[in-house]
Amino acid sequence: MVSIAFLLLVILFISTGLLANSLDTNQSIQNVLIEIFENDPKAQREMNPEEITAISEQYTNDILSFVQNALKYPFYLLGIAALLSLVALFTIKLNKYVSALLLLFAGLLSIFTLLPPILLFFASNNLFKTSSQNQNAVRKLM
């Protein structure tokens, strides 16, 4: 479960980075946004065609820069979550409790992606259970 969640986080991390970096050069997205603004009935009623063209380009640039800046946050959160899950993947055999905590934090950081956090929460829960069972077994031996 952890390895699948890690791979999904890495794929989402890379795709978010590629999307954020390609927004300003993607002409098709710019054309769609310009067309949406130019076909807006309110803009057509209140402005002449020259104003619509000038404002639509500014509108498109503003939207794309906002989205590009807004995509930085999920990019960083996904990167940190992927790093935490990778560390947890390597430390499972050493300390299950620490690995469970790392997976829990990774799931919380990536909660907006839905599927990886579910996998991480289940893995964390299983590790907490086995960690507590191991602690109970050690206490019984003493």
Side-chain angles (χ1 to χ4, degrees), residues 62-81:
D62 290 345
I63 286 178
L64 290 178
S65 67
F66 172 77
V67 170
Q68 196 169 23
N69 288 332
L71 281 176
K72 289 179 185 177
Y73 300 110
F75 178 74
Y76 293 134
L77 290 174
L78 288 170
I80 293 169

Side-chain angles (χ1 to χ4, degrees), residues 80-108:
I80 293 169
L83 183 65
L84 287 174
S85 61
L86 181 65
V87 170
L89 191 62
F90 286 121
T91 60
I92 285 176
K93 296 200 183 219
L94 298 175
N95 192 341
K96 291 183 181 188
Y97 186 76
V98 171
S99 295
L101 284 176
L102 290 174
L103 292 175
L104 184 66
F105 289 137
L108 288 174

Side-chain angles (χ1 to χ4, degrees), residues 34-46:
I34 289 172
E35 185 178 325
I36 288 171
F37 186 80
E38 289 177 351
N39 291 333
D40 183 29
K42 183 178 179 184
Q44 291 176 351
R45 278 192 314 260
E46 296 177 2

Side-chain angles (χ1 to χ4, degrees), residues 95-137:
N95 192 341
K96 291 183 181 188
Y97 186 76
V98 171
S99 295
L101 284 176
L102 290 174
L103 292 175
L104 184 66
F105 289 137
L108 288 174
L109 288 174
S110 63
I111 195 78
F112 60 93
T113 60
L114 195 62
L115 184 60
I118 291 171
L119 294 173
L120 292 170
F121 290 147
F122 279 127
S124 175
N125 188 27
N126 288 338
L127 286 173
F128 276 129
K129 285 180 183 177
T130 58
S131 175
S132 66
Q133 289 172 355
N134 289 342
Q135 288 175 356
N136 290 337

